[in-house]
Every structure is written in structure tokens, then in C-alpha cells.
Amino acid sequence: MSQFHFQDLPSEQGLYHPALEHDSCGVNFLADLRGRQSHDIVSKAIAALCQLQHRGALGAEKNTGDGAGILIQIPDKFLRDSVNFELPLVGSYATGIAFMPQDETNFKTAKDQIAEKAAALGMLVLGWRNVPIDSSSLGKGALGTMPKFVQIFLSATGETGELLSGIALDRKAYILRKRCENEIQFDQIDVATQGMGGMSRKHRGVYFPSLSCRTFVYKGMLTTPQLSEFYLDLADERVESALALVHSRFSTNTFPSWPLA
């Protein structure tokens, strides 16, 4: 269960208590028994996800969902064709989508802080990639809280200077992910009090659906059909995987948000 939020949760009211945030999702898993990576697995997983629409939930708008997502293996071939910098061998770089602040000043600050925290762990930011999206199908609720989406690429070296890979790299990536999510904060004007001069409050603005050298997650505050429409990567034939895990979220006793999607 994630404790991260882009906006403050409401206070205790009625049957709702912010400490009881939890999920109740529909899931589906596909895999090639011989470990053969293909786009067909990704396509079939998305089709299966759309059949789980009844396990998800909608808000007042039919085009603002509680959340949907897919986990696949790192699509190495696709990523190498999509960036203009060198990548180490597959398994020796970690990557993931970062949900970042829309404000340009906070966005730049977040990128700088991520690089600093990575360096403190012996990790190097190899580069960034803008994740192509199409938000035209989203409702106002999802659009109103939508973050900026960028993909980070990282490597790390061991004590003797060798490039880390596999679980050793994933351990460092996990620590970096949690430090960024819990420590990077920004001053934000409280919209509810803006007409009275506004109130500044701390606001956490960085979240990673995943950060790994083995798997990759696309997710969002979306309905199940919107996932593949929103993340344009998922339509690319070069995005291949031998396995896929999909989920459709029903936010029981919770308030939908992009990080909890």
C-alpha cells in the first residue's frame, strides 16, 4: 500500500479515515512459458485489462477512473531506439517513469535533487526521456491532478568500480526511489484559501510507479481502455515482454489519485 499523495487527503469524516487507505483491484497475469518476448503478450494483456473494467471504478465522470496499469519486462530494444545516449547492457541499467511536478521550477528542482540523491548512493543518471502521452480521453478530474511524466535511466558501480546489475542494482534503485518519494517536497499555495491570500504548505511531488533493471510499469488515474490510449509506447511493436501483469483499481474507502492508481 502506497502512502504517497500529490494532494493532501481529507480529514476523518463519516466512515472515512485517511489511515485506512487501501486497494481492491482486479488483476490478470500472462506469460510465455518459454520466456519468448513479444508484443503479442503486451497486446493480449491490455485486452485482458479491458475485460476487468467491472473490477475498477469511476468517479462522477465516466472518463476519470480510479486507476489502471501494466507491468512488463524492460523493453530494451525499444528503449535503445528511443534515447539519444548510450545504455549499458540490459540488466545493468535501471529505469522507470517518474511522476513529476507540472510546475517548471519545481520540475527542475526535482530533477536536480534526484541526481544528487542518486550520486550519494553511487548511482549515475544516464539520461532522461519524455514519455509520450495522449491525454485527450481523460476527464477533468484526472487532468486536474495529472503530473508530468519523464523516464529516468540510471547505472551504479560497486566497491571495485564494476557496473552493478540484477538484484544488486535493484536494491540501490529501490532505496533511491523511496528517498525521492519521501524527501523531495515543495512549497505549494493551498488553492482552497487562495482567495484569502493563500497558505503555503509542503507538498510531495515525486513518485515512481517502478524503478528497476528488470521490470517496467505504466500506470495512471485511468479507466482500463484509457491505458493504451494514454501511454503511446504501448502501441509500439518494439515494446516486447515475455510476461505481463495488469490491474484495474477500485479505490475502496479511498480517494483516487495518480500515485495510488
Side-chain angles (χ1 to χ4, degrees), residues 158-173:
E159 294 181 358
T160 58
E162 79 284 5
L163 273 181
L164 297 181
S165 62
I167 190 65
L169 179 54
D170 270 357
R171 287 191 181 108
K172 281 187 176 285

Side-chain angles (χ1 to χ4, degrees), residues 68-141:
I70 184 171
L71 177 148
I72 59 175
Q73 292 174 304
I74 296 287
D76 181 66
K77 178 182 177 181
F78 167 73
L79 294 178
R80 290 183 188 277
D81 291 344
S82 302
V83 298
N84 57 3
F85 48 85
E86 291 294 321
L87 290 174
L89 292 175
V90 62
S92 296
Y93 66 89
T95 185
I97 296 175
F99 288 10
M100 301 277 271
Q102 285 280 8
D103 176 79
E104 282 300 322
T105 300
N106 286 342
F107 173 69
K108 183 179 184 304
T109 299
K111 285 182 69 174
D112 292 343
Q113 289 191 39
I114 290 172
E116 291 172 6
K117 293 180 185 299
L121 289 168
M123 304 186 78
L124 174 67
V125 177
L126 300 171
W128 297 84
R129 170 181 176 254
N130 291 324
V131 180
I133 61 168
D134 179 357
S135 60
S136 61
S137 67
L138 272 58
K140 292 182 179 179

Side-chain angles (χ1 to χ4, degrees), residues 20 40 46 52 127 133 164 167 192-193 201 240 247 252 254 258:
L20 299 177
D40 186 56
I46 292 172
L52 294 175
I133 61 168
L164 297 181
I167 190 65
T193 61
R201 60 182 177 182
E240 299 178 331
H247 81 273
T252 312
T254 62
W258 281 90

Side-chain angles (χ1 to χ4, degrees), residues 2 5 13 28 34-35 104 128 153 178 189 197 205 211 243 261:
S2 175
H5 301 270
Q13 51 187 291
N28 206 322
R34 297 179 182 175
E104 282 300 322
W128 297 84
F153 296 82
K178 291 304 178 182
I189 298 298
L211 188 59
L243 59 85

Side-chain angles (χ1 to χ4, degrees), residues 75-261:
D76 181 66
K77 178 182 177 181
F78 167 73
L79 294 178
R80 290 183 188 277
D81 291 344
S82 302
V83 298
N84 57 3
F85 48 85
E86 291 294 321
L87 290 174
L89 292 175
V90 62
S92 296
Y93 66 89
T95 185
I97 296 175
F99 288 10
M100 301 277 271
Q102 285 280 8
D103 176 79
E104 282 300 322
T105 300
N106 286 342
F107 173 69
K108 183 179 184 304
T109 299
K111 285 182 69 174
D112 292 343
Q113 289 191 39
I114 290 172
E116 291 172 6
K117 293 180 185 299
L121 289 168
M123 304 186 78
L124 174 67
V125 177
L126 300 171
W128 297 84
R129 170 181 176 254
N130 291 324
V131 180
I133 61 168
D134 179 357
S135 60
S136 61
S137 67
L138 272 58
K140 292 182 179 179
L143 285 172
T145 56
M146 187 176 73
K148 182 189 291 285
F149 305 92
V150 290
Q151 185 176 355
I152 189 173
F153 296 82
L154 299 135
S155 64
T157 53
E159 294 181 358
T160 58
E162 79 284 5
L163 273 181
L164 297 181
S165 62
I167 190 65
L169 179 54
D170 270 357
R171 287 191 181 108
K172 281 187 176 285
Y174 177 81
I175 294 171
L176 175 64
R177 172 187 172 189
K178 291 304 178 182
R179 286 185 179 177
C180 291
E181 291 175 356
N182 291 312
E183 296 174 9
I184 299 178
Q185 297 185 344
F186 308 99
D187 286 321
Q188 178 176 295
I189 298 298
D190 189 339
V191 177
T193 61
Q194 201 164 19
M196 298 178 287
M199 290 176 59
S200 178
R201 60 182 177 182
K202 288 294 183 182
H203 173 72
R204 278 189 265 183
V206 175
Y207 174 79
F208 293 91
S210 66
L211 188 59
S212 170
C213 66
R214 296 180 290 179
T215 57
F216 194 85
V217 170
Y218 291 94
K219 79 168 188 177
M221 193 173 158
L222 310 164
T223 65
T224 57
Q226 286 176 333
L227 182 70
S228 60
E229 299 172 355
F230 184 77
Y231 287 111
L232 303 182
D233 291 353
L234 293 172
D236 197 300
E237 293 287 335
R238 295 169 296 173
V239 176
E240 299 178 331
S241 180
L243 59 85
L245 174 68
V246 295
H247 81 273
S248 175
R249 182 168 188 264
F250 193 111
S251 54
T252 312
N253 295 331
T254 62
F255 289 84
S257 70
W258 281 90
L260 285 179

